[in-house]
Amino acid sequence: MKRILLIEPKYKNKYPPLGLMKIATFHREVMHDYVRFTKGKLPPVFANTKWDRVYVTSLFTFEWAATIEAIEYAKTLVDSVDKITVGGIAATMLPEQIFEETGIKPVCGLLNEPGKLGLPGDECIDQIIPDYSILDETDYKYPFRDAYFLSATKGCGNKCGFCAVQTLEPTFIPYLDIKEKLRKSMRNMDRRKTCS
């Protein structure tokens, strides 16, 4: 069992980090790893913990300083930068700049094809049900924490020049069947209520 750390930079945001939540599900259910989430820095109890793999997400490019700070913090938690994966919106939009600033080449776009993380089964991560339980590991209050998010489409067919969607989700998928995901999410929600 490996120790996996998920870091969301310490910026204000309304929505929880869905990418990290899906990665949490992947590592817990597929890889059977120990997973921990933090917003910003870890509590002092983890001060001497070395992690086998650290994921850092990024949101908008105007949160650049907080994102770089989180990546630099992640470097102190591993014995090699090869164990750090950076992804998300800003990383996808400005991968060269992230590399220049940190020396880490980000994973761009969705986690929907084999090899992006270099782990067996990593081609399915974008379709995984997010693990909402990681949000219990931080004191940060997301205004939309208890909402459940599903994608009924991916991408956009319009290709407007000003829009980042064509970079973030380049393949337009006009319909995704969400019935099974709804069933699974309802079971997960029921299980969380039972455990509370």
Side-chain angles (χ1 to χ4, degrees):
M1 178 185 290
K2 296 195 179 213
R3 288 183 305 247
I4 308 300
L5 178 61
L6 311 172
I7 300 175
E8 180 177 47
K10 197 167 180 74
Y11 40 58
K12 289 185 179 182
N13 54 319
K14 295 179 182 179
Y15 301 100
L18 288 174
L20 291 182
M21 293 160 70
K22 291 177 181 186
I23 290 170
T25 299
F26 173 75
H27 273 284
R28 285 182 173 154
E29 294 183 8
V30 177
M31 304 299 287
H32 307 289
D33 292 324
Y34 168 77
V35 177
R36 176 80 193 178
F37 169 68
T38 190
K39 181 139 177 93
K41 295 187 176 177
L42 285 163
V45 71
F46 292 99
N48 297 319
T49 305
K50 286 295 180 187
W51 299 87
D52 296 303
R53 195 166 186 132
V54 178
Y55 294 89
V56 180
T57 191
S58 63
L59 193 56
F60 302 118
T61 56
F62 56 78
E63 295 292 0
W64 183 260
T67 301
I68 298 304
E69 181 181 324
I71 296 167
E72 292 302 322
Y73 172 63
K75 289 179 180 180
T76 70
L77 304 172
V78 294
D79 54 18
S80 167
V81 295
D82 295 339
K83 295 181 177 183
I84 300 172
T85 302
V86 177
I89 295 171
T92 298
M93 299 305 299
L94 301 171
E96 294 86 14
Q97 292 87 338
I98 293 271
F99 179 75
E100 286 172 20
E101 191 95 15
T102 67
I104 296 172
K105 184 177 180 197
V107 173
C108 296
L110 302 173
L111 296 176
N112 61 352
E113 53 191 59
K116 282 204 165 177
L117 297 181
L119 298 169
D122 69 357
E123 69 275 1
C124 66
I125 293 172
D126 186 53
Q127 296 300 313
I128 290 177
I129 301 292
D131 181 352
Y132 278 77
S133 73
I134 70 169
L135 303 180
D136 298 333
E137 298 171 11
T138 180
D139 292 334
Y140 187 79
K141 302 296 178 214
Y142 297 92
F144 294 101
R145 172 198 162 108
D146 293 327
Y148 189 79
F149 301 93
L150 288 173
S151 296
T153 67
K154 285 283 184 189
C156 178
N158 291 333
K159 308 283 186 214
C160 300
F162 61 85
C163 185
V165 170
Q166 60 191 330
T167 301
L168 299 169
E169 298 178 351
T171 304
F172 176 51
I173 303 170
Y175 173 77
L176 295 169
D177 190 351
I178 61 172
K179 287 184 232 105
E180 183 56 30
K181 285 188 179 183
L182 283 171
R183 280 192 281 276
K184 283 182 183 177
S185 68
M186 294 309 289
R187 285 193 298 268
N188 288 344
M189 285 181 178
D190 289 341
R191 195 173 20 206
R192 281 182 63 205
K193 287 178 185 172
T194 305
C195 295
S196 306

